[in-house]
Amino acid sequence: MSGPYGTYPEYEAVVVGAGPAGVTCVGNLLERKVAPILWVDDGFDGGRMNRKYREVPSNTKVSLFINFATAVAPFRKIVSGTPSRSRWEEPSDSDGVPVSSDKPDKLQVLRNMDQEKGCELSHAADVILMLTEGLKRTPGVITQKGRVTHGDLDDATEKWTVGIQTENSSETDITTAQAKRLILCTGSSPTDIPLPGNVVNIPHLDLDTTLSPTYLKEKLTPLGPTTVSVIGASHSAILVLRNLYNLARTEKPDLKIRWLTRHALRYAEYMDGWILRDNTGLKGEAAVWAKDNLEPESFKTSDVSNYIDTISYEKGQEREMFEQYLPGSDFVIQAIGYTRDPIPLLKTSAGKDITPYFEHEKGTFKYVQESDCGTIGDLVPLPHVYGAGIAFPERVTDPKGNVELAVGFGKFLKFIKRVSPEWN
Ligand SMILES: Cc1cc2nc3c(=O)[nH]c(=O)nc-3n(C[C@H](O)[C@H](O)[C@H](O)COP(=O)(O)OP(=O)(O)OC[C@H]3O[C@@H](n4cnc5c(N)ncnc54)[C@H](O)[C@@H]3O)c2cc1C
């Protein structure tokens, strides 16, 4: 447990998760004087961005990360190094005042880069780590390293009691806490579906891990001739193909890559004031590399074709294609999307399990209320539980009517800024 003012009998909010979404939520709650906040995470080490994506090229501009880091007053204080005032209850002295541009702040590395280009995500991860450290020291924030395992709703008061599993169960650990709000920023992991019987035993490599060229080199270089199959045509799939190709053309020429894809590559398109396929299309370095090397015309003449075999098929043919083309692979990497990580087990006062359904427009949840005699009722609002981040993103519709889930720092921020006033 850490925090300048000890523990509280009741928290205004428990925020679960300290990835980019958790950081965004804590910053926004503090800005609106919603405190004390109990903030819980397994590691307080920047979430997946820092654990897995440090070597990944960003699909957003450098300026976006600066805008993110200066979007709310509690962040700006951390960035500028302004000491926090003595009590969180006191009015802030610099709300809304942007950091003066002539004073060096903690964003100098990003400020010195080309603002219109992307960067390695290590820089974005460092922003999250810097904000995390600053928020941990901000009055009104109490942190507990550990895992929120469950949340029990008191139906009468609509308050939540959470249980927290900590590593060493020290006496000062907070293992149970009561809160008015429960905010889930628990993240997602790569989707990994079972493969057909004849290839069920091929080892899988975790998509997020193979986004690191360093990991791939360490894993594959010591092996003899190796075939890796990559399934999917997502942003992550292209980055992994590029990593594998770079390894094959340099230190591992006996590496062969099979790429199984069921649709043509899709790119984000910059329209007049908005982006078509903003969340699903290829962007940045991944888009450039894919256009130059993987499009049918460029592929023919690209060196990439010496290492990558492309197997294209239609939706619905997956099973037959996997049965035919995966045998002989030493590893399979599935780049077919992300699935929500398990959330804490939620229960009603009567001890009944709650299955929450996320409302992508409002950041709230509904659940099916069960009567005491077991009759299933209608979907009703789940009191004071909110979600954000990659697991609980906003659903957006673009000017052409395409519906997407909005994932990324800037989008989490916009969503949380819009909906969090309702969390009062
Ligand atoms: C390849 C790739 C590239 C991307 N590039 C960009 C980019 O360029 N720009 C951009 O803006 N976005 C990018 N994103 C999207 C997005 O910003 C990241 O996915 C981001 O890491 C998601 O943040 P999050 O906080 O929702 O989840 P996470 O980072 O996964 O954080 C969740 C945290 O919650 C903790 N947690 C979970 N359950 C519990 C529990 N029960 N108790 C306690 N702690 C718990 C986890 O340990 C973790 O620390 C990219 C995503 C991918 C996959």
Side-chain angles (χ1 to χ4, degrees), residues 16-22 40-49 51 53 56-60 64-65 121 146-149 185-188 208 211 235-236 239 338 341-344 388-391 407-410 412:
V16 189
V40 188
D41 188 90
D42 315 279
F44 287 98
D45 55 353
R48 278 176 180 265
M49 189 62 83
R51 291 179 204 149
Y53 308 151
V56 171
S58 75
N59 53 30
T60 45
L64 182 134
F65 299 123
L121 283 179
R147 179 148 277 266
V148 176
T149 51
C185 304
T186 41
S188 298
D208 274 357
L211 286 166
H235 185 75
S236 304
L239 292 170
Y338 283 77
D341 286 338
I343 63 164
I390 190 168
V407 172
F409 279 44
F412 300 160

Side-chain angles (χ1 to χ4, degrees), residues 1-6 8 11 15 26-27 29-30 34-40 44 74 88 132 134-144:
M1 186 271 293
S2 82
Y5 300 109
Y8 289 81
Y11 295 87
V15 176
V26 172
L29 291 170
L30 287 174
V34 178
I37 299 164
L38 177 61
W39 194 17
V40 188
F44 287 98
W88 54 267
T132 303
L135 289 173
K136 279 166 83 173
R137 288 194 299 270
T138 301
V141 179
I142 292 84
T143 55
Q144 177 61 57

